[in-house]
Structures are given as C-alpha cells and as structure tokens.
Amino acid sequence: MALGPRLRSVMVGHRRFLSVLIVGSLLLFTGIWKLDPHLMLVDEYAAVGRSLQMGVQRDPFPEAAVKGGNFHLYLLAFAFAVGFVYLFLTGKLADVDPGEVGGTDAWNQVLARLNESPAFAEVFYTFVFAGRLVSVLLGIGTIVAVYLAADWAYNRRTALFAAALLATSEGFVMAGHFATEDVLITLLVALYFLTLVAYHRSEDERLLLGQAFVIGLAVSAKAIGGILTLPFAAVLLSRWRRSERSVPGLVRLGMVHGAVAAVGYALTTPTVVVHPRGWWDSMIGSFTSSVSGYTSFDPETGPVLAVGLLMEQLGLATFTLAALGFGYVAYRLRRNRSPPLDYYLVAFVPVYLLFVSSVSGILSWRLIPLIPLLAILGGRVADAVLERAAIGVTARRAVVGALAVVLVFSLANAAGSVALFFDDPRENATEWADDEVPSSATVDVYSPRIHLPEFTPETTVNRHLLTVATETERERAVERVYCAAPEFVVVSSYQYESYLRDPGVQPAVTEMYRRLLDGRTAYEVVARFGRSRGADLPDDPLVRGAVLGTTVVETPGQTILVYRRSNEAAVSC
C-alpha cells in the first residue's frame, strides 16, 4: 500500500483521537511564550542554566547528575542549539556575550541580568522558549503513548477517553508549560506501560529488553523513575516462572536486563562514565537529602494529602471518574476477568502514592507521572459504563451526557489555568500600590521580589525571603507581623500556599500565614489581585490539598494579598 492511502486510512481510523490530540496540543502550547520572570519556575531557571553551561563551557559532560541523571539537559541542549542558530542568523547575539547567558544556573543572578539588560533578556528568553517547546512535544508524545497503551490493552473507546482525560487534566497541561523534567519522566512512565502492554500482546522477548531500556531512560530523567523496576520485576518473575524456573536462569535474566537499563542510563547520562566520582557524589547527595530532608509524609495525613493534590491536578470530575475506574478494575480482578494491564495499574498506583509521600521534596511535582495511569483508569470505567448502557437509548444518552460533562469540566479547568498566563496580578498590584500606598509607609513583603508588586523609591520596603532566611531572620519576620510593625503586609500565594500545603516545613511561618488569612492579626485585607481563592483553608489534608492546588499552577496563577494595619500604632515588640 502506498504511503498516502495508508496515512489516510490511519487518519480516518483515529480521527476522533486526532481531534483530542489537537486540543491537547493547543492547551500545552498556549502561553509558553509568556516569559516574564515571575512566570518562570526556579527549577526552570536552573535547568536552562545548566544546559546552557554545557555549550558555553564546551563540555558536554557535566560533573554531576541532576535529580538522578542528565537526560533532560541533553534534550534542552539540542533545542538550544537550534535556538542559537536562530539568534546568530537574526543578529541578536551581537550585543550579548554567549558566555554570559550560560554563565550561571543561579536564578537570582539570572534575574539581575534580566532586569539590567533587555538584550540579555531577549536571548535568554529565546532559549527558555525553545526549552518549553521540548516540554510541549514531550506532552504530545505522552498523550499518544497513553492512547496506544489503552487501545492495545482494551479497546479504542477506552483509549479515546483516556487520551481526552489526560489532554485536559490541569496538572499535566500546566507542567507542559515549563522547561523542567517533569513531562519527560511522565512520558517515560507512559512509554514503559506501553511497552509492557506490547509485551503481553506478543510475548516478544525483545520488548522485555525495551522495558529495561526505558527504565534506564526514566532514571536518567528523574530518580523517581527507578520505581518502574517494581512492575518490571513482576514481569521478569512471570517470564521466569513460565520457563526454566532455575535460580541461575533468574540471575541471568536480572543481569541481562539490568545491563540494558544501565546502557539506557549511561547513553543519556554519560557523566557516570566520564566523571564517575562526581556522579557518585551527586547521587549520594540526592539520596541523603531525600531520606533526611523534610518530608510531608505522615501515616495518617501524607497519602491523604497526595490524594487531595491529585484531586486538584485532575479536577474533581476527572478524579472521581479515575477513582471509580480504580474500584471497577479492582473488582474485576477479584473475578479473574481482567487484561494484564489492570493488575499492574491497581498495584502500581497506590505503591507510587505511598512512595512519593515518604520522600522529601515538593509532593505535587512527583504526582504528575501518575496522571496518565489515572486517565487510563478513567477511560476504563467510562467504556464499561457505556457498554452496559447500550441496552437502552435513554440510559445511554444519560451516560454519554454525564461523561461529556466530565470532559467539559476538565477542559474548562485546564483552559482556565492556561488563561492565567495572560493575567498579570503583579502589574495590577503595582499600579494599585502607586495610587494607594503612601510614600511614607512601611511595607513588609513575604515572597521573592519577582512575585510581588514594585513600590515607589520613597517607600520603606522590607523583603523577607523566608525560604532561604536563617532561623533568626524568620523569627524576626514573623514577629513583625504579630507586633503590627509595618503599615502594610503583602503576601503571595506562591509562598503561603506552599507552607500551608506542607505545614511541617516551617510551623512558625505556617502559623503566621494562617493567622493572616483567618483575620487573627491586627491586619485586614485591603486589596486582592489574581486568581480568586478562599482565605479560609481547611485543616483536613485531603480538602486542603484539593483547595490549594499545585506548585505548577501557582506560578502563572498566583494571588497577591495586600494587608493594612487596622490600628494606628504598632504594638511594642
């Protein structure tokens, strides 16, 4: 068959999926060109800076592994090479030293140069845009992988719903707007389960090697990818039990596939070969910080908080559908009537949740790779309900209507978050401050400068960077609020929501924010800018996680609150 007719046949057979893919691509792409400093993540500054350093220093082999490996840095480097050619051909590098652009990955130093030099900003933002395009393409690939996995494991209707749920999930869409490694590891998780499904369809031994290779890539993208060894171990054990069942045979299976995984890792993190000592030190450092740093895990609240965050990332309707899918699949497993993928999904999802809740770090980022699997579970139950509703026209219409509502809500949720890139609460708050804050006032701001409004030079502004402050500095900053020392206090949801989400990080700072938001200080809100959120945040971790949202969404969608002292004089401190 000629390529033209074959391509048309594929497009006709999957035309509904192509529509879903177009919608998902638009959601992922829209807004990535919004490149103001306060619309970037700290991790994004670091990733872009580290990748640029490889080119500037003419050393493609960093001495350390970042978050487990350097796969993402090499993908960015490829995109930056294209961006460099564009900048060179357009003459935009004439006034900027390339060595300066890639001279550091420290976000505070980059911010200073962005404010000082428009030419530097244009060059740097070109590279950031190229890096964000990489995330968009990876996100599109994830949608395709989920569709194929669900199609091969179940049927096309399940695949279509799964792809639609993923393409419109808020957390996944927003993660795809930044040049970080989170969409890459999400794609690799989806690819692993795709190769797993393909193996169970064909029993082709080469697909076992493919699974091992993907695991190596996943660890190279982010250390959390190592958890894929759990389902892979189950696959290898099943393969071994069906064959020789000898201990040497099991050892041989493990060694061969472990070697393939190591090759996948080394190809994308050659630091392990070129700088083994630096690689080892960085891996030990990452492991130590993960097990000894702060963790939000608690036997009672940690996993529940994770579920709450997933509820926000998926949207309540989609989360409910995914939860029903999990229950439906678990019920079918009891009756031994399920395809192989069902077993892996039901086992992997809760294990992953428990694991990411027990290591230090920002929990919401680590949940993104789980979204494709939850989308498949949602598609699974949607297909089952439609199949049972086929017995009656009225029932079928009701089910189709309910599922359409779920997709509409999910789409509206994701589109609303994307629209936040085009709203600038910082600019609006600055205009308000110019008109309403007296030049003689004292203002205390509790967030990095890029997230909060600017003030006139005559205004006395005290900036408290609580995340990097010493214990003494934090105590003084908190005390100033309790003593009503400044006339105005300005806070950003980018900071206070992160503390309220994980209160164990700094209990004293969390309590200060709680008192401000609850109105239990000498201050009252006089202005609010940006995304509208309720100030009264529940203590229940599940509900709190759902209300607060994710760090991914906060960046473009922050809320700025301006408080003014209600009494005339400050309380003596």
Side-chain angles (χ1 to χ4, degrees), residues 547-567:
V547 170
L548 289 182
T550 69
T551 303
V552 178
V553 178
E554 286 169 16
T555 301
Q558 68 163 332
T559 300
I560 295 175
L561 299 176
V562 181
Y563 291 85
R564 187 165 192 171
R565 191 172 59 213
S566 56
N567 56 333

Side-chain angles (χ1 to χ4, degrees), residues 124-158:
F124 183 78
Y125 286 149
T126 298
F127 289 125
V128 175
F129 178 74
R132 289 184 172 185
L133 276 177
V134 171
S135 292
V136 170
L137 294 175
L138 294 173
I140 293 172
T142 306
I143 297 172
V144 173
V146 164
Y147 177 77
L148 292 175
D151 187 19
W152 294 353
Y154 307 115
N155 55 57
R156 190 159 297 174
R157 188 165 58 189
T158 300

Side-chain angles (χ1 to χ4, degrees), residues 66-87:
V66 181
K67 299 182 181 180
N70 297 331
F71 189 11
H72 182 246
L73 298 185
Y74 287 108
L75 291 179
L76 291 183
F78 177 79
F80 294 165
V82 178
F84 181 85
V85 172
Y86 163 78
L87 291 169

Side-chain angles (χ1 to χ4, degrees), residues 204-284:
D204 188 338
E205 297 289 330
R206 290 173 297 181
L207 290 169
L208 281 177
L209 298 175
Q211 290 180 58
F213 189 78
V214 171
I215 290 175
L217 298 180
V219 177
S220 180
K222 199 168 187 176
I224 193 68
I227 199 172
L228 292 174
T229 56
L230 296 179
F232 186 57
V235 175
L236 284 184
L237 284 173
S238 175
R239 156 71 176 77
W240 173 70
R241 292 178 62 185
R242 293 197 310 270
S243 58
E244 52 191 292
R245 293 196 177 194
S246 66
V247 174
L250 181 61
V251 172
R252 184 168 57 254
L253 273 177
M255 291 181 63
V256 169
H257 293 88
V260 172
V263 169
Y265 181 86
L267 286 175
T268 50
T269 305
T271 296
V272 67
V273 177
V274 180
H275 301 292
R277 180 60 183 270
W279 173 85
W280 177 256
D281 290 343
S282 62
M283 295 297 286
I284 292 296

Side-chain angles (χ1 to χ4, degrees), residues 313-502:
Q313 290 177 347
L314 291 169
L316 182 58
T318 302
F319 175 84
T320 302
L321 193 65
L324 291 174
F326 184 89
Y328 167 74
V329 170
Y331 171 76
R332 284 183 60 92
L333 289 179
R334 294 184 59 187
R335 304 176 61 137
N336 297 319
R337 296 169 54 190
S338 292
L341 182 59
D342 282 352
Y343 292 88
Y344 295 103
L345 292 178
V346 168
F348 185 80
V349 169
V351 169
Y352 186 94
L353 273 176
L354 289 172
F355 180 77
V356 298
S357 300
S358 63
V359 295
S360 63
I362 300 175
L363 180 59
S364 55
W365 287 109
R366 300 176 184 270
L367 294 172
I368 302 297
L370 206 56
I371 294 179
L373 307 184
L374 295 175
I376 293 176
L377 289 171
R380 189 87 168 91
V381 73
D383 174 69
V385 173
L386 282 172
E387 184 178 348
R388 283 158 177 73
I391 58 176
V393 176
T394 303
R396 185 173 182 83
R397 287 177 177 174
V399 170
V400 170
L403 292 175
V405 168
V406 170
L407 291 176
V408 168
F409 269 102
S410 184
L411 176 60
N413 208 27
S417 292
V418 170
L420 294 172
F421 277 97
F422 301 91
D423 180 31
D424 193 347
R426 186 177 186 272
E427 181 179 344
N428 298 335
T430 298
E431 293 176 357
W432 181 90
D434 289 343
D435 297 333
E436 302 295 334
V437 177
S439 59
S440 59
T442 299
V443 182
D444 280 27
V445 296
Y446 290 78
S447 194
R449 185 168 188 162
I450 59 173
H451 301 299
L452 291 177
E454 291 296 320
F455 299 90
T456 60
E458 298 78 17
T459 306
T460 301
V461 180
N462 300 305
R463 300 186 182 274
H464 305 287
L465 300 179
L466 300 179
T467 54
V468 296
T470 65
E471 186 65 32
T472 300
E473 290 171 338
R474 275 194 294 267
E475 290 176 356
R476 290 174 179 172
V478 170
E479 189 177 29
R480 286 182 61 81
V481 172
Y482 292 159
C483 296
E487 183 177 352
F488 290 90
V489 171
V490 185
V491 298
S492 165
S493 62
Y494 187 78
Q495 287 286 299
Y496 69 71
E497 289 188 355
S498 63
Y499 282 100
L500 292 170
R501 180 183 302 107
D502 288 336

Side-chain angles (χ1 to χ4, degrees), residues 21-273:
L21 193 62
I22 291 172
V23 171
S25 300
L26 290 174
L27 288 172
L28 288 165
F29 180 75
T30 303
I32 67 169
W33 57 84
K34 301 292 285 186
L35 293 165
D36 293 323
H38 61 286
L39 294 178
M40 292 180 60
L41 301 175
V42 173
D43 283 358
E44 191 173 26
Y45 283 105
V48 171
R50 288 169 183 147
S51 186
L52 286 173
Q53 282 179 332
M54 292 193 301
V56 170
Q57 298 172 1
R58 293 182 173 85
D59 183 4
F61 307 115
E63 292 189 4
V66 181
K67 299 182 181 180
N70 297 331
F71 189 11
H72 182 246
L73 298 185
Y74 287 108
L75 291 179
L76 291 183
F78 177 79
F80 294 165
V82 178
F84 181 85
V85 172
Y86 163 78
L87 291 169
F88 177 79
L89 293 177
T90 56
K92 294 181 179 180
L93 287 175
D95 299 325
V96 179
D97 179 10
E100 182 185 12
V101 177
T104 179
D105 60 357
W107 71 282
N108 55 338
Q109 297 179 28
V110 175
L111 280 176
R113 291 296 294 129
L114 290 174
N115 292 326
E116 295 169 0
S117 171
F120 175 91
E122 183 174 12
V123 171
F124 183 78
Y125 286 149
T126 298
F127 289 125
V128 175
F129 178 74
R132 289 184 172 185
L133 276 177
V134 171
S135 292
V136 170
L137 294 175
L138 294 173
I140 293 172
T142 306
I143 297 172
V144 173
V146 164
Y147 177 77
L148 292 175
D151 187 19
W152 294 353
Y154 307 115
N155 55 57
R156 190 159 297 174
R157 188 165 58 189
T158 300
L160 185 64
F161 271 103
L165 293 173
L166 175 64
T168 58
S169 62
E170 181 184 24
F172 171 75
V173 168
M174 296 306 290
H177 278 70
F178 302 101
T180 58
E181 73 283 348
D182 297 282
V183 182
L184 173 59
I185 182 62
T186 303
L187 169 61
L188 291 169
V189 169
L191 280 178
Y192 172 78
F193 281 92
L194 175 60
T195 56
L196 186 150
V197 169
Y199 168 73
H200 280 286
R201 278 167 54 99
S202 66
E203 297 290 337
D204 188 338
E205 297 289 330
R206 290 173 297 181
L207 290 169
L208 281 177
L209 298 175
Q211 290 180 58
F213 189 78
V214 171
I215 290 175
L217 298 180
V219 177
S220 180
K222 199 168 187 176
I224 193 68
I227 199 172
L228 292 174
T229 56
L230 296 179
F232 186 57
V235 175
L236 284 184
L237 284 173
S238 175
R239 156 71 176 77
W240 173 70
R241 292 178 62 185
R242 293 197 310 270
S243 58
E244 52 191 292
R245 293 196 177 194
S246 66
V247 174
L250 181 61
V251 172
R252 184 168 57 254
L253 273 177
M255 291 181 63
V256 169
H257 293 88
V260 172
V263 169
Y265 181 86
L267 286 175
T268 50
T269 305
T271 296
V272 67
V273 177

